[in-house]
Amino acid sequence: MYNQEGKTLRNRISDIYRHTVVGNFIMRPFYKLYIFGLRIVPDKLIIKRSFKKHMGYNLNLDNPQTLNEKINWLKLYDRKDLHTKVADKYKVRDYVENQIGRKYLIPLLYHTKNPKDLRPENLPDSNFIIKTNHDSSGGVIVRNTSEIDWVSTRKRFKHLLKENHYYSSIEWQYKNIEPRIVVEKLLTYEDGSIPEDYKCHCFNGKLVFVMIDFDRHTDKRTRNLYDPNWNLIPCNWGRPYGKEVKKPSNFEEMKLLAETLSKDFTYVRVDFYLVRGAIYFGELTFHHASGFQKFYTHECDFKFGQLLNIKNNDI
């Protein structure tokens, strides 16, 4: 799990493996062995063991009560083809356009299945992000193409395209995504800083709370949760409280968009960015923190769990 001081050793090793060429070269054989082991172990067993390790108690799949328990139940028993489509950061664009309109999409600048195509002549001069469509590895932010080591970048994405996020997360929606590289416009505030995203957690098609993270790329990361009326919820989920945030002027529009995009799903996190008064869609996430992130109090986990109805899903 995460703590207030930053990332665990496992997360730091994962960052080295994913984000450095040397780390990938050294650790890839061990990673392949690890993934091979995961492929022959039943999903339920892996999830139950991981839950006990991260949460400190046994996962009850027969009668899940907490939000984290229900998220893990959904990982096993709520598997639909639509989940695969919208978890794909490239194909989800069609879904979003059909549901709420193209104007909410971050401009797509380039896409390819071949990492050799990542060359300055194929891309804008500045201000974009390169990422894959099939995992949660983050991306490469490019402020100026002349400042990027393109050889290392191509090697990095070559390795990423070979990974299948399903085998390390047991989140089924990633299993059959066709890997691709996407390049999007980099959203920034006027001072050039990266905007916070508004993570709208929707249960059974209704917004239940909005999560906002601050200083996401530092060890001082904080988080607030707000209810649908923009009241601060006295619950910490994995992070300490952050600075107070005023209700956005277009919050009601964001709420409507989130509920429209969530109507086909039991539980989903709909992410948005607010930049210069405009709303931009970020992504759809079906299992926040893979269902392994502790609330500061178990009561909050239980309280939110009671609001999520999973009975409409058949095992």
Side-chain angles (χ1 to χ4, degrees), residues 160-274:
L160 288 175
L161 289 178
K162 294 179 180 179
E163 293 186 12
N164 190 316
H165 190 52
Y166 160 72
Y167 292 109
S168 58
S169 67
I170 316 300
E171 296 182 42
W172 177 86
Q173 66 272 19
Y174 296 113
K175 186 175 184 179
N176 298 313
I177 294 177
E178 184 179 12
R180 183 188 301 263
I181 299 167
V182 294
V183 180
E184 293 180 341
K185 178 181 178 181
L186 180 66
L187 299 180
T188 63
Y189 291 135
E190 285 78 1
D191 63 0
S193 61
I194 304 298
E196 292 91 6
D197 54 347
Y198 292 71
K199 302 178 186 296
C200 300
H201 292 251
C202 297
F203 298 5
N204 311 112
K206 295 296 181 181
L207 177 66
V208 174
F209 63 90
V210 180
M211 172 187 292
I212 308 177
D213 281 13
F214 309 97
D215 301 314
R216 286 183 296 156
H217 304 290
T218 73
D219 289 340
K220 298 180 180 179
R221 188 170 175 177
T222 56
R223 171 178 294 165
N224 287 351
L225 274 61
Y226 292 90
D227 70 17
N229 295 314
W230 206 257
N231 298 306
L232 182 66
I233 301 175
C235 282
N236 298 97
W237 195 3
R239 306 287 179 188
Y241 289 124
K243 60 186 178 183
E244 183 63 31
V245 178
K246 292 183 179 179
K247 179 180 178 180
S249 59
N250 49 2
F251 175 65
E252 293 303 320
E253 180 183 5
M254 183 194 301
K255 177 180 175 181
L256 177 61
L257 295 174
E259 293 186 342
T260 300
L261 290 174
S262 70
K263 63 182 175 61
D264 294 322
F265 310 109
T266 302
Y267 164 79
V268 67
R269 197 191 77 204
V270 187
D271 294 358
F272 294 107
Y273 297 96
L274 295 183

Side-chain angles (χ1 to χ4, degrees), residues 25 39 66 72 76 94 104 148 191-193 234 247 260 308:
F25 178 78
R39 292 188 183 201
T66 68
N72 278 280
L76 284 167
D94 287 337
Y104 297 105
I148 299 297
D191 63 0
S193 61
K247 179 180 178 180
T260 300
L308 176 60

Side-chain angles (χ1 to χ4, degrees), residues 2 22-23 30 57 76 90 95 99 104 121-122 125 140 143 149 152 166 179 192-193 223 233 253 257 296:
Y2 283 86
V22 174
F30 300 99
Y57 64 96
L76 284 167
Y90 174 71
Y95 181 80
Q99 296 295 320
Y104 297 105
E121 56 266 30
N122 292 331
D125 293 330
V140 173
R143 303 279 187 174
D149 183 341
S152 295
Y166 160 72
S193 61
R223 171 178 294 165
I233 301 175
E253 180 183 5
L257 295 174
Y296 276 37

Side-chain angles (χ1 to χ4, degrees), residues 117-125 128 145-146 148 150 154:
D117 292 335
L118 292 178
R119 299 178 180 278
E121 56 266 30
N122 292 331
L123 303 168
D125 293 330
F128 56 89
T145 54
S146 64
I148 299 297
W150 289 103
R154 287 190 287 271

Side-chain angles (χ1 to χ4, degrees), residues 87-90 92-93 106-113 115 118 123 128-142 150 153 156-157 160-161 179-187 271 273 281-284:
D88 183 326
K89 294 180 178 63
Y90 174 71
V92 70
R93 298 176 63 88
I106 299 172
L108 178 67
L109 306 177
Y110 191 71
H111 65 91
T112 181
K113 298 176 185 177
L118 292 178
L123 303 168
F128 56 89
I129 182 169
I130 310 171
K131 57 187 180 181
T132 55
N133 67 323
H134 69 299
D135 67 4
S136 58
S137 62
V140 173
I141 292 175
V142 180
W150 289 103
T153 299
R156 173 182 173 180
F157 280 93
L160 288 175
L161 289 178
R180 183 188 301 263
I181 299 167
V182 294
V183 180
E184 293 180 341
K185 178 181 178 181
L186 180 66
L187 299 180
D271 294 358
Y273 297 96
F281 168 80
E283 64 179 74
L284 296 180

